[in-house]
Amino acid sequence: MSDQPITSIMIIASTARMKYAGSNMYAEIMIPGVAATEAALPGNKGETRVFTIGASGTKKASEISPADISISTEPPNEGNAWLPSALYVLGKGDSSDYQVICAIPEWPEQVWLSQDPNDHYLPDAVPAISLDLVLKALNPA
């Protein structure tokens, strides 16, 4: 598999099955200089959404790290926190297959997302986070 400039990003996001995990919010997923999108979250418990967005072609998958990728909550429908169960970011070039850029197969239960930190207690929700911090929450060593 060749490491071509990324021209398409695929996001696979799932909502946890825990009580109150679902949300009607939107999220922005951003890779600066490469791609950004605002999309409706997979709102119901256990739901998964897959969507693709165009990318700039300025970086190869090997040049993108989880620290480069962030997710933040967006209006409308604020007022409830979202807890993902998994999040995957894949990228491909014009003539290549998708390859994994970042995989979070088990989202940490302590990282809830919301514009209002009071939408979830113990711990408070966060409005935005980079995926490297999510991975560090999984492996705090």
Side-chain angles (χ1 to χ4, degrees):
M1 187 179 323
S2 67
D3 194 19
Q4 298 181 358
I6 299 297
T7 56
S8 180
I9 298 284
M10 178 185 292
I11 309 290
I12 304 169
S14 299
T15 297
R17 296 184 182 275
M18 291 178 59
K19 189 174 184 178
Y20 306 119
S23 177
N24 295 323
M25 290 184 294
Y26 283 69
E28 179 180 49
I29 299 175
M30 181 182 298
I31 307 170
V34 177
T37 190
E38 183 180 296
L41 296 173
N44 298 319
K45 292 189 306 183
E47 182 181 351
T48 297
R49 286 219 174 120
V50 178
F51 51 95
T52 58
I53 58 173
S56 66
T58 58
K59 289 188 178 183
K60 299 175 181 178
S62 62
E63 298 172 323
I64 302 169
S65 76
D68 299 322
I69 307 168
S70 65
I71 183 168
S72 61
T73 56
E74 298 287 325
N77 299 318
E78 297 165 23
N80 55 9
W82 178 53
L83 179 63
S85 65
L87 184 77
Y88 296 87
V89 179
L90 298 91
K92 76 178 213 70
D94 287 336
S95 61
S96 67
D97 293 328
Y98 279 102
Q99 55 187 314
V100 175
I101 296 172
C102 183
I104 304 174
E106 293 183 41
W107 191 274
E109 292 181 4
Q110 70 271 28
V111 182
W112 290 71
L113 297 165
S114 177
Q115 286 288 325
D116 183 350
N118 296 319
D119 284 343
H120 188 268
Y121 298 96
L122 301 172
D124 290 345
V126 296
I129 193 164
S130 66
L131 297 189
D132 68 321
L133 294 177
V134 175
L135 291 169
K136 286 177 184 173
L138 282 171
N139 302 302

